[in-house]
């Protein structure tokens, strides 16, 4: 149960065409667009069902490039317009986020042009790209040429932008890494675990957080999991008791590390950040995995001064991929001990010999080799871009998520009125009413699809059917086996795993595919996306369309590897 997922089904024959669109708000930003050829959609995959033809055959609307100042426009189709009007009556506060609809119609208009419904923002945001490279020559940051000095200036500017975005006090610095995973690994491999040390983490955590336990065990330290509730996250009283049990007795000789997941990527739970303050009061160092939180929620290191925080920029604004950051206290860096050194991290190395003097700048000691300097200008622009819209996202996405979850819960099979989906993730509690308020959960929903008999429909079928209909979502355990086991109710099966067990072994024991269908919202999400997801789920609820989609799915699979079947629905 690691990163299990159905294989994505790519539309055949796609050609790539790049066009540049310049934002009317940020003149320094431009956004690339990949548009599939019309030939990719020549084959009609939809069944001939009269009442569904409006959705099945409708041409995506041509986006307007004009800004509006009153309220978002309704969808193009009259029936959808009535649904949108109903949504606005139920959530009038959504109109306060009209500026994001303007953004969607201009800088993200390619979503309409391609006809793609993108609901995998927890995997990656939609691309934002700075065109600085068209007008500048950048060189290796380890040289002193003019081009190299420009690269250093861009790197320093990006570092300052990151610190400013997260309101970091002066004691913090930024280490550029490949992604959040590399940032977490950097702490794990360098942390001074010893006999008597402890590594504490939540069961509802990403595998990159789980992996740090290997460094702890290698150095003789213990590790302990805070158990997950049935809806993800953890019980605060249980967590505090566990932290008390494993608290450091001597921070100098046997330090202890707590890794907190700010927001789960599968259960939608948010960790109360007061836990970081509590752990610090007990003497723990606190490492925060904020990769899932910061794309849609403001975060201040001045308010929550954790020792280190890991992020990935592609999750925040889509580009650059391959660049993340560890935002870390310099005092914490001074306690870390790297297991090696490399080019870029040192000042003097004795060869032959054993003497090495590390770089004077703390961040340089942890940035191996040459950083990805060509993409760093995009970080500065991307953070400036995101900061303009981030205050609106919690309110906007909360409205969309509430409407989506309530609509999914109302869906019923046409043959017997049984539920179509089961929601496993946490749903919003407190309703947001104004811009600036923060949601108590994230902006995703993890679900299972059920057939009319109540049997779980394989996720691979749902992913195949969604892909055929231009809906980008995610299935599987999404690199969070502990959170997945908790919300799926299979923690007992997880405890019985034996060394060498494979995902296939576990699925065979449980008797079905493991994982969830995850729908996650983000920066460019709008009501049309939600409506398209609901319409797709309605196709699963309709016996005729579902059987056609099952036939398509079975035809695409190797019969020798198809271990799950969907029988025709009872009538």
């Amino acid at each position: 149960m690691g990163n299990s997922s159905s294989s994505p089904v790519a539309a055949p024959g796609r050609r790539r065409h790049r066009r540049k669109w310049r934002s009317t708000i940020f003149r320094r930003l431009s956004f690339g667009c990949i548009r599939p050829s019309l030939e990719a959609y020549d084959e009609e995959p939809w069944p001939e069902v009269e009442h569904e033809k409006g959705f099945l055959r409708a041409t995506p609307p041509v986006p307007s490039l004009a800004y509006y100042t009153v309220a978002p426009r309704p969808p193009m189709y009259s029936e959808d317009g009535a649904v949108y009007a109903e949504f606005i009556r139920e959530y009038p506060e959504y109109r306060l986020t009209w500026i994001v609809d303007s953004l969607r119609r201009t800088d993200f208009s390619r979503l309409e042009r391609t006809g793609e419904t993108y609901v995998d923002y927890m995997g990656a945001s939609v691309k934002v790209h700075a065109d600085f490279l068209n007008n500048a020559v950048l060189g290796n940051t380890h040289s002193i040429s003019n081009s190299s000095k420009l690269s250093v200036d861009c790197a320093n500017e990006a570092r300052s932008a990151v610190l400013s975005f997260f309101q970091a006090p002066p004691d913090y610095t930024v280490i550029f890494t490949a992604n959040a995973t590399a940032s977490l690994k950097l702490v794990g491999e360098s942390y001074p675990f010893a006999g008597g040390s402890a590594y504490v983490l939540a069961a509802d955590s990403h595998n990159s957080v789980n992996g740090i336990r290997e460094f702890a065990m290698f150095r003789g330290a213990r590790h302990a999991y805070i158990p997950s509730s049935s809806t993800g996250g953890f019980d605060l009283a249980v967590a505090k008791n566990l932290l008390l049990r494993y608290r450091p007795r001597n921070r100098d000789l046997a330090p202890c590390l707590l890794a907190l997941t700010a927001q789960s990527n599968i259960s939608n739970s948010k960790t109360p950040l007061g836990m970081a303050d509590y752990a610090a009061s007990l003497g723990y160092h606190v490492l925060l995995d904020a990769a899932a939180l910061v794309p849609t929620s403001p975060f201040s290191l001045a308010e929550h001064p954790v020792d280190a925080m890991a992020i990935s920029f592609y999750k925040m604004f889509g580009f650059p991929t391959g660049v993340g950051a560890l935002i870390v206290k310099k005092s914490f860096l001074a306690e870390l001990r790297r297991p090696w050194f490399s080019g870029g991290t040192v000042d003097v190395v004795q060869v032959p010999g054993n003497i090495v003097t590390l770089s004077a700048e703390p961040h340089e000691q942890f940035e191996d080799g040459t950083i990805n300097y060509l993409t760093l200008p995009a970080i500065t622009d991307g953070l400036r871009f995101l900061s303009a819209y981030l205050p609106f996202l919690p309110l906007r996405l909360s409205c969309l998520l509430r409407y989506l979850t309530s609509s999914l819960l109302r869906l019923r099979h046409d043959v017997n009125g049984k539920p179509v989906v089961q929601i496993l993730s946490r749903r919003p509690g407190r309703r947001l009413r104004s811009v600036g308020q923060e949601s108590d959960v994230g902006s995703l929903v993890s679900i299972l699809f059920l057939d009319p008999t109540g049997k779980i429909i394989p996720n691979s079928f749902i992913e195949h059917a969604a892909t055929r209909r231009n809906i980008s979502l995610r299935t599987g355990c999404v690199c969070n086996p502990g959170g997945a086991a908790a919300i799926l109710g299979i923690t007992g099966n997880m405890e019985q795993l034996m060394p060498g067990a494979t995902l296939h072994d576990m699925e065979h024991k449980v008797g079905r595919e493991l994982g969830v269908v995850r729908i996650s919202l983000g920066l460019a999400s709008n009501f049309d996306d939600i409506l398209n997801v609901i319409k797709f789920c309605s196709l699963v609820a309709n016996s005729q369309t579902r059987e056609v989609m099952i036939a398509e799915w079975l035809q695409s699979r190797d019969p020798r590897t198809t271990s799950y079947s969907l029988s025709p629905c009872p009538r």
Side-chain angles (χ1 to χ4, degrees):
M1 275 182 71
N3 186 20
S4 61
S5 173
S6 308
S7 299
V9 182
R14 294 199 176 190
R15 296 196 301 264
R16 294 177 178 262
H17 302 283
R18 297 187 61 84
R19 295 182 181 180
K20 291 183 179 178
W21 294 81
R22 188 169 302 277
S23 170
T24 55
I25 294 180
F26 298 101
R27 296 293 179 182
R28 292 184 63 191
L29 296 177
S30 64
F31 305 88
C33 175
I34 300 175
R35 178 177 181 176
S37 65
L38 296 178
E39 290 85 349
Y41 302 103
D42 285 346
E43 180 183 354
E44 173 58 71
W46 297 97
E48 295 292 340
V49 182
E50 190 65 33
H51 74 282
E52 298 289 355
K53 285 184 179 178
F55 175 52
L56 306 187
R57 300 183 179 280
T59 302
V62 178
S64 166
L65 296 181
Y67 278 95
Y68 43 76
T69 58
V70 179
R73 65 169 178 82
M76 173 176 285
Y77 314 112
S78 58
E79 180 182 349
D80 292 353
V83 176
Y84 177 78
E86 177 188 349
F87 166 71
I88 290 298
R89 282 194 297 271
E90 187 172 356
Y91 299 98
E93 60 270 24
Y94 181 79
R95 292 182 294 182
L96 298 173
T97 69
W98 63 267
I99 190 172
V100 186
D101 284 282
S102 297
L103 176 72
R104 169 69 179 251
R105 295 198 345 243
T106 55
D107 295 330
F108 294 100
S109 60
R110 61 190 181 277
L111 291 170
E112 271 71 32
R113 291 198 305 275
T114 61
E116 190 74 16
T117 299
Y118 188 83
V119 284
D120 188 23
Y121 286 86
M122 191 57 61
S125 185
V126 182
K127 177 181 171 184
V128 174
H129 194 337
D131 64 351
F132 175 76
L133 298 181
N134 292 334
N135 303 303
V137 177
L138 300 180
N140 191 303
T141 53
H142 298 147
S143 301
I144 59 172
S145 64
N146 290 332
S147 59
S148 297
K149 289 179 181 177
L150 181 58
S151 295
V152 172
D153 289 343
C154 289
N156 290 336
E157 184 181 12
R159 264 184 250 277
S160 297
V162 172
L163 294 172
S164 175
F165 185 85
F166 293 109
Q167 300 175 15
D171 183 41
Y172 283 88
T173 188
V174 175
I175 298 170
F176 289 119
T177 63
N179 43 42
T181 292
S183 298
L184 294 166
K185 180 187 176 187
L186 193 61
V187 174
E189 70 179 9
S190 306
Y191 192 78
F193 289 115
S197 294
Y199 174 52
V200 181
L201 66 160
D204 188 0
S205 297
H206 194 276
N207 269 337
S208 300
V209 175
N210 291 323
I212 295 176
R213 74 189 188 194
E214 299 297 311
F215 295 113
M217 290 189 295
F218 181 77
R219 295 186 178 95
R222 301 166 295 170
H223 71 278
Y225 277 98
I226 305 171
S228 176
S229 72
S230 60
T231 55
F234 53 74
D235 180 86
L236 289 179
V238 173
K240 288 183 177 181
N241 287 336
L242 194 73
L243 288 172
L244 278 171
R245 188 193 317 170
Y246 288 93
R247 68 185 182 276
R249 308 298 178 180
N250 188 321
R251 183 164 175 168
D252 293 329
L253 298 179
C256 296
L257 178 65
L258 168 67
L260 281 180
T261 297
Q263 180 179 307
S264 171
N265 69 334
I266 191 168
S267 71
N268 206 34
S269 63
K270 282 186 175 181
T271 297
L273 294 175
M275 283 299 300
D277 301 328
Y278 176 76
S281 71
L282 297 177
Y284 284 89
H285 291 116
V286 180
L287 169 63
L288 186 69
D289 177 9
L293 175 72
V294 295
T296 57
S297 298
F299 179 82
S300 170
L301 283 166
E303 295 180 15
H304 306 287
V306 296
D307 292 289
M309 181 174 78
I311 61 171
S312 283
F313 294 110
Y314 73 91
K315 290 183 181 290
M316 298 176 68
F317 36 81
F319 182 89
T321 56
V323 181
L326 182 70
I327 309 163
V328 57
K329 288 181 178 178
K330 297 175 185 177
S331 56
F332 180 59
L333 280 185
E335 299 187 44
L336 302 183
R337 296 291 180 267
R338 300 209 63 193
W340 81 314
F341 61 86
S342 67
T345 68
V346 294
D347 186 31
V348 172
V349 177
Q350 182 189 42
V351 179
N354 300 312
I355 296 174
V356 57
T357 303
L358 297 177
S359 298
E361 288 292 334
H363 66 261
E364 290 183 354
Q365 299 174 14
F366 291 82
E367 289 178 344
D368 296 333
T370 301
I371 58 177
N372 196 348
Y373 59 87
L374 289 179
T375 61
L376 296 186
I379 294 173
T380 304
D381 282 341
L383 291 173
R384 183 183 297 116
F385 173 89
L386 183 59
S387 64
Y389 298 98
L390 188 60
F392 300 93
L393 294 185
L395 174 63
R396 179 181 182 84
L397 300 181
S398 179
C399 292
L400 294 175
L401 186 65
R402 281 180 173 273
Y403 185 84
L404 174 62
T405 54
S406 62
S407 298
L408 292 178
L409 289 173
R410 288 195 298 267
L411 279 179
R412 292 293 184 269
H413 282 286
D414 59 345
V415 293
N416 59 8
K418 296 292 185 180
V420 178
V421 303
Q422 177 185 358
I423 295 179
L424 304 178
S425 54
R426 292 195 182 187
R427 286 176 266 168
R430 179 173 60 91
R431 179 165 174 174
L432 307 188
R433 299 285 184 177
S434 61
V435 174
Q437 292 181 318
E438 284 300 312
S439 177
D440 53 354
V441 295
S443 52
L444 66 84
V445 57
S446 293
I447 62 178
L448 295 175
F449 282 81
L450 309 175
D451 70 12
T453 69
K455 179 182 176 183
I456 297 173
I457 297 176
N459 293 334
S460 55
F461 159 69
I462 296 299
E463 188 167 43
H464 177 272
T467 301
R468 290 288 299 269
R469 286 144 188 91
N470 297 336
I471 295 177
S472 297
L473 45 75
R474 178 82 179 267
T475 66
C477 296
V478 297
C479 290
N480 188 334
I487 65 176
L488 289 169
I490 58 171
T491 53
N493 299 91
M494 180 70 78
E495 292 170 357
Q496 296 171 10
L497 279 181
M498 301 297 290
T502 65
L503 176 61
H504 177 77
D505 295 335
M506 193 167 185
E507 289 184 334
H508 181 75
K509 183 168 183 142
V510 175
R512 58 181 173 84
E513 288 182 359
L514 293 178
V516 301
V517 177
R518 188 185 70 184
I519 299 163
S520 54
L521 311 180
L523 174 61
S525 295
N526 67 2
F527 181 74
D528 289 347
D529 296 330
I530 300 303
L531 194 57
N532 285 341
V533 170
I534 295 170
K535 287 181 176 182
F536 167 72
C537 296
S538 299
L539 296 181
V540 180
N542 180 277
S543 57
Q544 186 175 350
T545 55
R546 184 175 61 253
E547 289 180 15
V548 171
M549 292 190 293
I550 291 172
E552 294 173 349
W553 173 63
L554 293 175
Q555 187 176 11
S556 70
R557 293 170 67 91
D558 185 342
R560 294 171 297 180
T561 62
T562 303
S563 55
Y564 303 94
S565 63
L566 287 173
S567 57
C569 308
R571 287 186 169 85

